[in-house]
Amino acid sequence: MFSTRKLTALAGAAIALATANAALAGTLVVRSTGPSAASYPVGKTLAADAKLALKPGDMITVLDAAGTRVLKGPGQVAVAGSGAATGSGFTALLANAGARQSRTGATRSAIGGGPARSPNVWYVDASRGGLQCVADTGTMAIWRPDNAAEGSATVTRESDGKSALVDFRAGQSVRAWPVDELPVVEGARFKIALAGAATPVTLKVTMVSPSSAELDGVASALLAKGCNSQMDVLVEGSKQESGSALAAK
């Protein structure tokens, strides 16, 4: 049998290891440009207490529980953030609740009248094609960037040409994916023709199982599959203030 002292020591070691692993797993490089990009490639894990030696022109975007922030050179730049990201906007970014999440969806940007960014990582952006990571086919939803007027999106399965029409009311940005007519499986390809768009976009589905519903778990799953459009939504929607260089010693 283990003595109390041994059990206490083992418990302490387990806690220390879990804490270290959490710190290491929680800080990811999600964008990297500049002279040091090769040293900090996308997907690289960084220790939470690390300081990066950056050169002029370096811009390294990291992601952890505090959100995403851009670390810029030159100088020694701390990886650590300012605390956990909170608030209803952040929760909405990651919630995989489908069309039930919002009554009206995102509205147009108040800055310059341009289209708003998708407010949720899991929405299928009807204006963009590419690879779409799906964690739950039952909550898939289609989002359109301009909800000023009534509109529609025609979704067509490439394998057999079967189509379904998704209608939007004026002021409505989000509608459920037509899962009964067009169920989604790994590798399925669809064309989405948004009313008023010059050409349809092509969507390819890949299934994912994030290790958690938190920011780092979702980001790791998206990075592993190469779902770049969704990573853009995740990075832009969880931005914190840029990191500042420390005085070099």
Side-chain angles (χ1 to χ4, degrees), residues 1-246:
M1 296 178 64
F2 285 102
S3 67
T4 300
R5 180 178 297 178
K6 285 183 177 179
L7 287 172
T8 301
L10 287 171
I15 292 172
L17 180 59
T19 301
N21 285 339
L24 288 173
T27 306
L28 299 171
V29 175
V30 293
R31 289 179 181 168
S32 185
T33 60
S36 303
S39 299
Y40 306 108
V42 172
K44 182 179 177 66
T45 301
L46 302 172
D49 60 352
K51 292 182 177 63
L52 309 187
L54 300 182
K55 300 174 182 178
D58 280 333
M59 294 180 65
I60 312 298
T61 303
V62 297
L63 176 150
D64 58 17
T68 55
R69 55 202 174 277
V70 181
L71 310 179
K72 300 178 182 179
Q76 297 287 323
V77 185
V79 168
S82 57
T86 58
S88 59
F90 185 76
T91 301
L93 179 71
L94 296 175
N96 199 0
R100 299 188 306 275
Q101 181 171 310
S102 172
R103 292 181 181 179
T104 60
T107 57
R108 291 176 65 85
S109 169
I111 303 174
R117 181 184 65 249
S118 172
N120 184 271
V121 167
W122 301 110
Y123 287 164
V124 174
D125 187 339
S127 67
R128 300 181 67 175
L131 192 63
Q132 177 79 22
C133 283
V134 175
D136 183 355
T137 59
T139 60
M140 278 184 70
I142 301 177
W143 176 84
R144 61 171 181 161
D146 186 348
N147 67 3
E150 293 182 353
S152 65
T154 302
V155 183
T156 303
R157 186 166 55 203
E158 286 196 347
S159 61
D160 60 3
K162 184 177 180 180
S163 295
L165 183 67
V166 178
D167 291 317
F168 295 89
R169 299 187 306 273
Q172 186 176 38
S173 292
V174 185
R175 286 296 309 273
W177 181 272
V179 65
D180 291 337
E181 299 93 334
L182 300 173
V184 174
V185 296
E186 174 67 35
R189 294 173 64 92
F190 301 90
K191 285 191 179 299
I192 303 177
L194 190 62
T199 57
V201 299
T202 299
L203 189 80
K204 181 180 179 180
V205 172
T206 185
M207 307 305 296
V208 295
S209 297
S211 59
S212 76
E214 304 302 319
L215 186 61
D216 54 350
V218 173
S220 295
L222 298 180
L223 282 174
K225 288 296 186 79
C227 295
N228 297 326
S229 293
Q230 288 164 278
M231 273 304 302
D232 288 344
V233 172
L234 186 64
V235 169
E236 295 300 322
S238 60
K239 271 187 175 177
Q240 303 291 304
E241 292 185 3
S242 298
S244 57
L246 303 175

